[in-house]
Amino acid sequence: MNKKIDQLAADNIRAIAISMVEKAKSGHPGGAMGGADYMHILYTEFLDYDPTEMDWIFRDRFFMDAGHLSALMYTQYYLLGNYEKNDLKNFRQWGSVTPGHPEIDVKRGIENTSGPLGQGHAMGVGAAIASKFLDARFKGLFDQKIYGFITDGGIQEEISQGAGRIAGHLGLNNFIMFYDSNDVQLSSMTDEVTTENTAMKYEAWGWKVITIDGHDHEQIRKALTQAHAETQKPTLIIGKTIMGKGSVTADGSMYEGHCELHGKPIGATKADFEKTLINLGANPEDSFAIYNDVAAHYKSILEQKIAKSTEKKNEISKWKEENSVLAEKLELFFSGKLPDLDLSSVIQKPNAATRDASAAVLGYLAENVENMIVSSADLSNSDKTDGFLKKTTVLQKGDFSGAFLQAGVAELTMTALANGIALHGGVIPVVATFFVFSDYMKPAIRLAAIQELPVKYIWTHDSFRVGEDGPTHQPIEQEAQIRLLEKIKNHSGDQSLLALRPADAVEASVAWEMALQNRKTPTGLILSRQDIKDIPSIGTSRFNDALQSKKGGYLVKRVENPDITLVANGSEVATLIEAALELEKTQKIKINVASIISEGLFRSQSKAYQESILPNGKLIFGLTAGLPVNLESLVGNNGKVFGLEHFGYSAPANILDEKFGFTSEHACNEIAKYLEENNFKITK
């Protein structure tokens, strides 16, 4: 070790980080100054990766929780050669590769998009779970470490309880997290917010906790060495650091540890920017420069990392030669592709609830997809993920041979873990709960959409037909909220989420096929609790009919030159078919019925196809168990939607159907009213 070069490197990181914030006129310099010592020691002496292949699957991973400390990450990777000086000078500017909060960019070392505090380290826990899962299947290959970096804000976010509990419960000794504890947060000192004993809290969850001076390089080394040696527990390293370490005023007096250093440029505080640069050994005329001795040191570090990863790669190559079958499996896992599947072979019970149909598919997947982890928020027997669980075992400390994660009552944590599993790669994450509790999941769903992660969500109990549980459990507005993400484009130009609400059991099988084939974005399956009448086949088979769902929507009842088209998704489709048959029986009227499983996907089809299903300028009536807005853009200006505009009530599902008007008889009456309003004569 070289104490002089280590201190010089840490100060170099501080100087460059504050220069980025100063030039951008916005950002968070103080925390970057406090965390510089830990980052330097971690990256130069402990974190293993291949600088020539940043996406090498066997690399260690670093998950930043505190996205506002992006300048710290960018500077660290600048020293390692992943960014150019101009990249840092363009911090927070249009089109730059250094946005205000880190956005996933594996080629430059950024493993996760972070910003909303708490989710970053939860993703790290998810990656650690994926690593353990893979290590159980490829012994000795995934001995990697997953590192997290968290601050006071992340520790305070409620998600930290779920992540801490699960990591400790599972004994994730491959997860090491640094807590940058500087007693300062954005608008106050931490003692105005909390008096909890963080060390005791994590120890109670089953973590190894080490408290150090976060600026003492020898203490950092010792703590990381102890964390590496731990075989039973995740490790929390509480580093007591100083906000704005190294800041001085215009007269050279130290000005450290103050709240204002957190969230604005140094020059906008009582500290002096240029004098602080000088105090850190930087040249104010070229404050983005890497010091000569630091550059030489990092050059040697890169050579060491390349040599070490080359040695590991040689070992893996030998393993692949000796284990050709496992090697093929490993390649398949990380390709994102699936083995050959035939979901048409899954036998669905007649008139089944779509949650039960999903259970049948999950049972098939448990036997045919070896790299899938399914998780439920204490609802596996209700959301029917037990269809998967019955054919595997639960992940537990010391045994990751199973494939089911019982997350407990922690929907947001579970969903963030799934993001981390997806980010690690090699494993397909599936998470499940009641649809109404998607409200708890949305922050992590949003990050999955931004990061373009193929996480699968199972949302059951999809309507007011939850019944007796009452308004708190009846999703009225949730579909409208989720489908907004179908209307948002991600940075690749695709709809950021695929939401599928199948109309019957067979369509649920096809929906699962669509979810599995979607490798670009997250997919949500919105499934019923109650049984649904099977949709009659109009082609060679019901499964072949339902394959048209891959266009987002199709006709489940079709006639030439219809007078009106009825449109719905989910269980309301069967209701409309029943109503259509009754109206055709009693009236001289021709009716088409459309199942639009995904509006976003449907709108991506050609105009000609869309109009073949929903004719432009013709009468269109929609039925939805949610807010009318679910279908309003589909029926158009001249159309009409019957939906709910109020919360639910506690009563049996069949009573609610009657009270709310969701019977085929009531649908007939509403359709008749709509036709009369448009001067279509109805026989009374």
Side-chain angles (χ1 to χ4, degrees), residues 219-241:
Q219 289 189 41
I220 295 170
R221 284 190 188 93
K222 185 177 179 181
L224 283 168
T225 300
Q226 290 175 353
H228 273 245
E230 174 58 49
T231 61
Q232 299 294 319
K233 302 176 179 181
T235 299
L236 178 70
I237 300 171
I238 302 177
K240 302 303 294 183
T241 61

Side-chain angles (χ1 to χ4, degrees), residues 454 456 498 500 510-519 523 525:
K456 321 302 178 191
L498 178 63
L500 305 172
V510 172
W512 257 113
E513 185 167 297
M514 294 166 70
L516 292 167
Q517 291 173 350
N518 180 18
R519 293 160 53 191
T523 304
L525 301 173

